[in-house]
Amino acid sequence: MIILFVVLPLVVAGLLPLAGKASKRLLPDLLANATLLFLVAYAAVAGRALIADGPVLQQTTWLGEALGIRLVLDGFSLFMLVVVALVGLAASLFSIDYMEHYGAKGNFYALYLVMIAGMNGLVLASDLFAVYVFLEVAAVASYALVAYGLGRDELEAAFKYLMLSVVASAFLVGGIAVVYGMTGGLDFAAVAMALKELNAGPALAVASALFLLGFGLKAALIPFHAWLPDAHPSAPAPISAVLSGLLIKVSGVYALTRVFLNVFGLTPALSTVLLWLGAVSAVAAAFLALGQKDIKRMLAYSSISQVGYVVLAIGVGTPLGIAGGLFHLFNHALAKGLLFLTSGSVQRATGTRDLDAMGGLAKRMPVTAATNLVGALSIAGVPPLNGFWSKLIIIVALVQAGHPVFAAVAVLASVLTLWYYLLMQRKAFFGRLNETWAAVREAPFWMTASTVLLALLCVGIGILFASTVTTWVRPAADVLADGIHAVAGSWGF
Amino acid sequence: MILQTALLAVLVALSVLAIALKDLLRSAIALALASLVLGIVFFRMGAPYAGVFEISVVAGLITVLFILTIALTKSGDEVRESKLANIVFPVVFVAFLAIDALVMKRLMGKVPALARGGEAGTFGEVLWKGRTLDLVGQIAVILAGVFAVLALFRQRDKHE
Amino acid sequence: MSNTWYLYLFFAAALVFAGLLGLLAKRNLIKLLIAIEIVGKGVSLLLLSTGLAKAHILTAQALVVTYIVIEVSLVATALALIINIRRQTGGLDIRSLTRLKG
């Protein structure tokens, strides 16, 4: 019953406001986290067995009649479901303590679960319009979540985010309409087969450009990134973690790769565009991150840079490159989620996000400082943490595919990343304790617990990287590397 | 077809008015009228349900929401719009229309298309058997909208 | 039917472009939202006329209905944001929203 991934969070979200009436905190906390825990268990434990003999196509029946709900679970979507559930769970555990003073917890979790349901629906959808619909579900929930604090900055960021996001969806629907006009179908399989038959060059290029604009805006690739450094830092910390760790990846990178690789087929021209977009984002955003004083803005620019890394790797188009890109997506989701959560702990303890005002916090917040260090080193790609392996695979793939220049760019971006993360770690946590923070205490239990969970995952995956790659990343990369055959051959209903 | 073209032209004119008019209330009404015309266009295209939705939901509900917001936020503070934009943008728009008129027909001729059989059944069957997942999505997006509005208008009990 | 497709597309493109220009030119938050609505009208006309050209009007109709539902929930969220912004800044000018800069 893979439809549970969409329906369960929705049903719980519908119940939460009622639960919030009965008990203000305990019940919402319990329900939301239990739901996400179930999704983690379901995806991670049962999922592998489900797709053992190829992708699962599920058509839901209702009272014996076949309904038009066609969901597909293959290696790639299962991989994304696991990522969404893991980071979603960590951020929601963090919210138990963090969202305490925002009020209306039931409402918060309801929006949060709708966003998770939207992402899961997007990942499982098997037609273009359904991708758009679920992308919008997640987006509408995220506007409200960004503005959840109701402060001036939050509202401003949410409004700008909404404006750009709506333009992105308009481009997407435009692209969908062009494809629909050519092929007469919306189903991935039907579209892929029809496009192969049609051999439509220029018209497909127009559609690709529209999709690229739409997904590029959602993924915040440079030059479509302007909204992200406002929206992600302004949101409450667990929401920043989910937006940066998951939403830009699901509604940007996942949707982009699924459509371009599995439905349109990766042409050399498209591959070049992706390589350039990725390389520019990776390097330019790293430079921009270096100049930031606000800890969460630095993290936000870093997200743009790392998503650029992922797109660069997927643009290579070789199985190794795709595997590296997906593995990096996974690692970045964990590590960036972790870093946004620790930055939330710091902000909550000190009341500031200004790196220059911090200093020496490691003495007062040892666990937060340690987990932050793990996350920073992981993204920066220091062995033996998980981020090192994915970056290594990406660089090897770039060299193998005959792109030494892009490989050099990737190395440069890595060096820059290490630089600004060390800068952040030193300014915030190391050095002499700033007198102002003498009374600062370690974050509450659930906040530290969720960061420790993510940090352990970062370390664990770093050590067990080989088995992670073979169990989770390989099946996902195989689907993408198969190109349109993965969809056209086996996805017919 | 002539009537349809005329309706579409009125639709574009009303939309431009909705953007260009100074008074917010008037532009909200222009938007509602544009929706009404679009609904009629949908109806004449053989899509009665889309037409009804466009008229009742967009021309009705959304207009009410707009007017409510305008009433709630007005207090004599005028937003000065850019003078330059008021001169430049109409020119750009007319230029776009000219290009649009010149190239659109030829562009469409270039789009390769597969000939496919039409569809059978009624709207209800297509919606329920063909696109049920969209209905799940609709429920989800309505939930998102409701929770979003509740969250944005909640009473801040402790903070502030 | 596809000989009339370009006609619908001509008007749909005009609507989308008018909306995008409005987004660029206007400073009033409500005006910006109205411009977004115009873009949405263009897009729904595009969807429906594509379905008409493919003799798939029923499917296209289903898509447009979903699109309209999404639009409503989006507009409600955006208007709630605008009312909150009005409370905070005392105005509706996008230029007063310059605390954050890209």
Side-chain angles (χ1 to χ4, degrees):
Chain A
M1 283 306 283
I2 49 181
I3 194 164
L4 267 185
F5 280 108
V6 185
V7 171
L8 181 71
L10 278 183
V11 169
V12 177
L15 294 175
L16 270 172
L18 299 175
K21 286 266 184 305
S23 99
K24 270 228 157 70
R25 300 197 171 78
L26 185 67
L27 215 49
D29 281 341
L30 208 66
L31 271 175
N33 286 296
T35 309
L36 283 158
L37 193 63
F38 173 78
L39 291 185
V40 172
Y42 194 21
V45 180
R48 291 269 308 148
L50 277 178
I51 61 159
D53 338 300
V56 187
L57 317 175
Q58 198 161 67
Q59 176 139 21
T60 310
T61 50
W62 176 268
L63 304 175
E65 282 238 38
L67 291 179
I69 299 184
R70 301 181 195 87
L71 301 174
V72 177
L73 184 73
D74 62 5
F76 190 24
S77 31
L78 179 65
F79 171 78
M80 294 305 293
L81 284 178
V82 172
V83 179
V84 169
L86 266 181
V87 179
L89 175 66
S92 109
L93 286 175
F94 189 86
S95 312
I96 295 177
D97 286 326
Y98 188 86
M99 296 308 291
E100 201 63 47
H101 65 283
Y102 280 85
K105 248 187 171 174
N107 202 331
F108 168 79
Y109 281 123
L111 277 170
Y112 186 80
L113 286 175
V114 171
M115 184 164 70
I116 297 280
M119 289 194 276
N120 283 345
L122 201 170
V123 166
L124 290 170
S126 67
D127 87 44
L128 285 170
F129 196 75
V131 164
Y132 159 75
V133 170
F134 283 101
L135 193 137
E136 256 339 277
V137 171
V140 170
S142 72
Y143 307 142
L145 286 169
V146 167
Y148 206 75
L150 297 181
R152 192 169 165 167
D153 286 356
E154 283 101 319
L155 292 166
E156 175 183 342
F159 193 77
K160 287 179 177 169
Y161 169 37
L162 186 145
M163 286 288 155
L164 279 173
S165 192
V166 170
V167 174
S169 348
F171 284 127
L172 278 184
V173 183
I176 291 172
V178 173
V179 172
Y180 188 39
M182 281 192 291
T183 64
L186 290 162
D187 218 49
F188 284 166
V191 170
M193 279 189 284
L195 283 179
K196 206 170 115 195
E197 198 178 322
L198 270 176
N199 201 9
L204 187 59
V206 171
S208 303
L210 287 168
F211 276 107
L212 201 61
L213 269 171
F215 292 138
L217 265 163
K218 292 279 181 189
L221 291 169
I222 286 178
F224 315 118
H225 68 287
W227 58 273
L228 188 143
D230 288 343
H232 288 195
S234 300
I239 299 309
S240 314
V242 172
L243 291 184
S244 252
L246 298 178
L247 193 61
I248 54 171
K249 299 202 178 72
V250 173
S251 61
V253 178
Y254 169 84
L256 182 130
T257 42
R258 181 65 99 187
V259 170
F260 281 150
L261 270 65
N262 281 157
V263 180
F264 291 179
L266 191 68
T267 57
L270 201 57
S271 167
T272 314
V273 171
L274 289 182
L275 282 170
W276 275 101
L277 270 178
V280 169
S281 302
V283 175
F287 274 114
L288 287 167
L290 260 178
Q292 299 304 317
K293 299 257 177 285
D294 177 331
I295 182 167
K296 283 176 91 178
R297 279 182 87 84
M298 188 184 259
L299 292 174
Y301 276 109
S302 162
S303 287
I304 302 175
S305 165
Q306 302 303 316
V307 167
Y309 230 104
V310 173
V311 171
L312 173 68
I314 289 172
V316 178
T318 60
L320 189 66
I322 294 169
L326 293 182
F327 191 29
H328 194 62
L329 183 153
F330 185 52
N331 295 336
H332 179 248
L334 294 177
K336 186 51 62 68
L338 167 60
L339 286 170
F340 265 119
L341 294 182
T342 52
S343 77
S345 299
V346 170
Q347 190 187 357
R348 169 105 185 244
T350 64
T352 181
R353 299 200 314 236
D354 187 356
L355 279 168
D356 289 337
M358 297 171 192
L361 287 172
K363 297 191 182 67
R364 294 279 150 209
M365 312 176 76
V367 182
T368 306
T371 49
N372 193 75
L373 186 63
V374 171
L377 294 182
S378 161
I379 292 190
V382 174
L385 290 164
N386 54 356
F388 168 73
W389 302 109
S390 50
K391 288 195 175 181
L392 188 68
I393 297 175
I394 292 173
I395 290 165
V396 169
L398 281 166
V399 173
Q400 265 188 8
H403 300 294
V405 181
F406 284 117
V409 166
V411 173
L412 171 68
S414 273
V415 172
L416 286 171
T417 309
L418 182 62
W419 184 5
Y420 63 75
Y421 273 116
L422 287 180
L423 210 68
M424 180 180 99
Q425 188 73 21
R426 204 189 46 154
K427 276 189 175 171
F429 293 106
F430 296 158
R432 220 161 43 81
L433 181 67
N434 191 329
E435 286 308 308
T436 335
W437 315 126
V440 161
R441 277 201 267 143
E442 185 54 270
F445 175 75
W446 287 110
M447 282 162 70
T448 39
S450 61
T451 53
V452 168
L453 171 75
L454 286 176
L456 285 178
L457 278 170
C458 282
V459 177
I461 289 169
I463 293 165
L464 301 171
F465 84 97
S467 70
T468 314
V469 170
T470 42
T471 343
W472 297 107
V473 181
R474 253 291 134 69
D478 284 346
V479 172
L480 284 176
D482 242 6
I484 59 170
H485 304 295
V487 168
S490 53
W491 278 27
F493 280 93
Chain B
M1 211 50 226
I2 296 167
L3 179 59
Q4 192 78 330
T5 314
L7 280 172
L8 286 165
V10 171
L11 165 65
V12 173
L14 280 170
S15 306
V16 171
L17 264 185
I19 295 175
L21 279 175
K22 257 209 175 101
D23 185 53
L24 281 178
L25 207 58
R26 282 190 194 150
S27 65
I29 290 165
L31 186 70
L33 289 176
S35 299
L36 193 68
V37 175
L38 185 61
I40 296 168
V41 169
F42 282 175
F43 204 82
R44 292 177 46 86
M45 284 164 84
Y49 292 92
V52 165
F53 251 74
E54 181 73 30
I55 291 172
S56 67
V57 178
V58 183
L61 183 60
I62 290 188
T63 308
V64 170
L65 291 179
F66 263 110
I67 289 176
L68 207 67
T69 312
I70 292 167
L72 278 174
T73 55
K74 76 149 185 255
S75 61
D77 81 311
E78 291 293 312
V79 177
R80 290 238 336 267
E81 299 289 355
S82 152
K83 282 238 171 60
L84 185 67
N86 282 346
I87 303 162
V88 175
F89 281 67
V91 177
V92 177
F93 184 64
V94 171
F96 177 80
L97 280 186
I99 298 167
D100 194 357
L102 282 177
V103 301
M104 190 53 95
K105 190 166 186 175
R106 252 188 308 152
L107 220 57
M108 284 300 105
K110 287 220 175 96
V111 174
L114 277 187
R116 275 189 55 163
E119 51 194 355
T122 62
F123 177 65
E125 276 169 20
V126 169
L127 187 63
W128 281 103
K129 295 203 179 140
R131 307 219 50 91
T132 327
L133 187 56
D134 290 356
L135 292 179
V136 178
Q138 284 186 24
I139 295 169
V141 90
I142 290 170
L143 276 181
V146 168
F147 291 138
V149 171
L150 285 178
L152 290 169
F153 288 130
R154 74 185 188 276
Q155 295 288 321
R156 299 298 306 270
D157 33 39
K158 276 193 227 159
H159 230 45
E160 283 170 343
Chain C
M1 205 58 200
S2 64
N3 57 330
T4 60
W5 190 23
Y6 82 91
L7 190 76
Y8 287 113
L9 282 188
F10 166 75
F11 285 106
L15 284 173
V16 170
F17 194 71
L20 289 179
L21 277 183
L23 272 181
L24 287 175
K26 294 296 168 182
R27 290 169 179 167
N28 187 313
L29 298 180
I30 295 179
K31 268 288 166 60
L32 291 175
L33 203 58
I34 287 178
I36 282 183
E37 278 293 283
I38 305 284
V39 174
K41 283 192 201 325
V43 171
S44 52
L45 184 60
L46 170 67
L47 267 181
L48 198 65
S49 61
T50 309
L52 188 65
K54 306 297 301 179
H56 277 192
I57 194 75
L58 297 178
T59 310
Q61 201 173 173
L63 303 188
V64 170
V65 168
T66 309
Y67 188 82
I68 290 172
V69 170
I70 292 174
E71 216 174 316
V72 171
S73 122
L74 195 89
V75 167
T77 311
L79 288 174
L81 276 176
I82 288 176
I83 292 174
N84 269 293
I85 290 173
R86 171 73 179 71
R87 281 189 196 155
Q88 289 270 340
T89 67
L92 288 172
D93 198 330
I94 188 81
R95 282 172 303 174
S96 66
L97 298 182
T98 48
R99 289 256 291 259
L100 308 170
K101 35 195 179 309

